[in-house]
Structures are given as structure tokens and as C-alpha cells.
Amino acid sequence: MLAIVVAGFVGFLAGQILGSLFELVGVSLAHYPGGLSALSNAASPPWWANALGLLGLWVGFGGAIFYAYNFGNLNSLPSQWRVKSTDVFYVALGVACQFLIDLLYLPFHLRHLNRPVHHLFGSVVGASFVLLIVMTMFLAPIMEEWLFRGVLFRALSEGSRSGSRASLVFAVLFSAALFALAHGEPLQFAGLFLLGIVLATLVWRTKRLVPSILTHMSFNGVAIAALISQRSGH
């Protein structure tokens, strides 16, 4: 299963490169002042740049997922896309995780914790704002759960010959660390690491991806709701 983990790294890096290439195309088409260099340093990039960056990243993710299932001998979980009526619990769990992590950060009085959200949405309004919501609240959790839990976590946990609890714990912690690191936000690392532990545990216990996806969606949704609330209060 080591080849699958390596493919995950390659897919992530390829996604970053593709995202930059897509942004470069966008810069050219939009005649963005200062070019790609100015775009990369912008405090609030245009909506199309963020959308193209995410799209490129997901293409890389998709390549790693395709390799894992078609060439890496990783079988899909039998019911990984099955939806149950009780799955509404995981929506509540995601909300609870967001509030719990916020509480854990509270004593440290850290600034700029909301910077990633503001960087992504900036002053975008209208249809562009809705598009970014769909991408970050719905599409991003699907792609990230599919790669980090559906591929990397499972490759790490199922690829161990020992099958011991220690190997399972390692798979949970290592996949959670990769998930947190992939976001590239040092201040957010601890919270995302804790969330990654919860999400990997859900996949292990339920043998499905839907619970972790719904939890991830509602977790992101709280941050978006807070942004909307902040905007409406101005």
C-alpha cells in the first residue's frame, strides 16, 4: 500500500501545480494587473482564481484516487456511498466539532484564525459567492474525504500486515496530520488535525465515507455561516 500513499503525495503536488497553471490561464484571460506574481500576493484574490485553484487541486486528487482503485489494489468499501436516515447525526457532529475547536483555540487569543475564509471569499458577492460556497462546503469535503480517508487512511490501516490496534492508531494520526498539513495554514493545523482524527475514526467505525463527508460539510458550513453573519452585520 506504500505505492498508494506515494500516489497521494504525487496527486496533491500535481494538483498544486495544475491549480497554478489554471490560475495562470485565468490571469491571461482576465488581463490581471501584475500577472501571477501579483495574484499570489493578493490579500483577497478574485473569485475565479480561488475557483480555478481548487479545480486544479481536485484534478490532482482525482488522479491519485483513480490510481488507488484501478492500479493500487484498493477496493471500494462495499457501502461507502450509502446514505442512511440516521446520518443527520453527522451533520450535528460537524457543527459540534467546529464549536469545540473554536473553544480550544479561545484561551490562546490567536489572531487571523479566520484568514483562510476571508482570503477565499474576500468581498465576493452574488453568483460568484454562491459558487464558492458550493465548492468549499460541498465539493471540497467530498474530494478531501475521498482522498484522505477513502484512500490514504485506508491504505495505511489496511496495508499493515500486523493489523494491530497500534497500526490503526498510526493510520488515524498520520492521515490526520497529512490532512492538516495539506491546508498549508500553520495556525489551523491543530484544529484540522483533531478534525482529521474524528473523520478517520468515523470511516473506520462505519465503513462508509458518507458520515465523514457530512461531518466535514457541516464543519465548513459553520465557518461560512459565520462569514455571512459577519457580512450582514456590517
Side-chain angles (χ1 to χ4, degrees), residues 18-224:
L18 284 172
S20 296
L21 290 176
F22 288 178
E23 289 174 359
L24 182 60
V25 173
V27 164
S28 178
L29 293 176
H31 303 290
Y32 189 78
L36 190 61
S37 177
L39 179 64
S40 62
N41 295 319
S44 181
W47 69 269
W48 51 262
N50 289 324
L52 289 173
L54 287 172
L55 183 60
L57 184 63
W58 296 341
V59 171
F61 282 16
I65 294 167
F66 179 83
Y67 172 85
Y69 287 114
N70 290 275
F71 302 102
N73 297 319
L74 183 69
N75 296 319
S76 300
L77 293 168
S79 303
Q80 68 179 19
W81 301 113
R82 182 184 176 189
V83 179
K84 298 181 180 180
S85 59
T86 53
D87 285 343
V88 67
F89 164 78
Y90 300 109
V91 175
L93 178 61
V95 174
C97 285
Q98 181 67 264
F99 281 108
L100 176 60
I101 290 173
D102 286 345
L103 286 175
L104 292 176
Y105 273 116
L106 194 60
F108 299 98
H109 303 288
L110 296 175
R111 298 181 179 180
H112 309 303
L113 276 176
N114 293 326
R115 190 187 71 84
V117 175
H118 291 287
H119 179 79
L120 181 63
F121 286 93
S123 57
V124 178
V125 296
S128 302
F129 185 69
V130 174
L131 174 63
L132 287 179
I133 288 178
V134 171
M135 295 184 77
T136 56
M137 185 174 171
F138 299 101
L139 299 181
I142 292 173
M143 294 304 299
E144 290 178 11
E145 291 310 304
W146 206 352
L147 177 66
F148 288 101
R149 258 61 66 174
V151 171
L152 293 177
F153 164 68
R154 289 189 53 223
L156 290 166
S157 61
E158 298 173 15
S160 172
R161 293 181 180 180
S162 65
S164 65
R165 182 166 293 275
S167 64
L168 174 63
V169 171
F170 171 78
V172 169
L173 296 179
F174 191 67
S175 63
L178 292 177
F179 170 68
L181 285 170
H183 286 78
E185 297 289 343
L187 290 180
Q188 302 282 343
F189 178 87
L192 292 170
F193 178 67
L194 292 175
L195 176 65
I197 291 174
V198 172
L199 297 174
T201 303
L202 288 177
V203 172
W204 170 65
R205 292 187 63 88
T206 66
K207 302 297 185 290
R208 294 186 297 137
L209 288 180
V210 171
S212 67
I213 290 173
L214 291 177
T215 301
H216 196 157
M217 283 180 177
S218 59
F219 181 90
N220 287 4
V222 173
I224 294 172

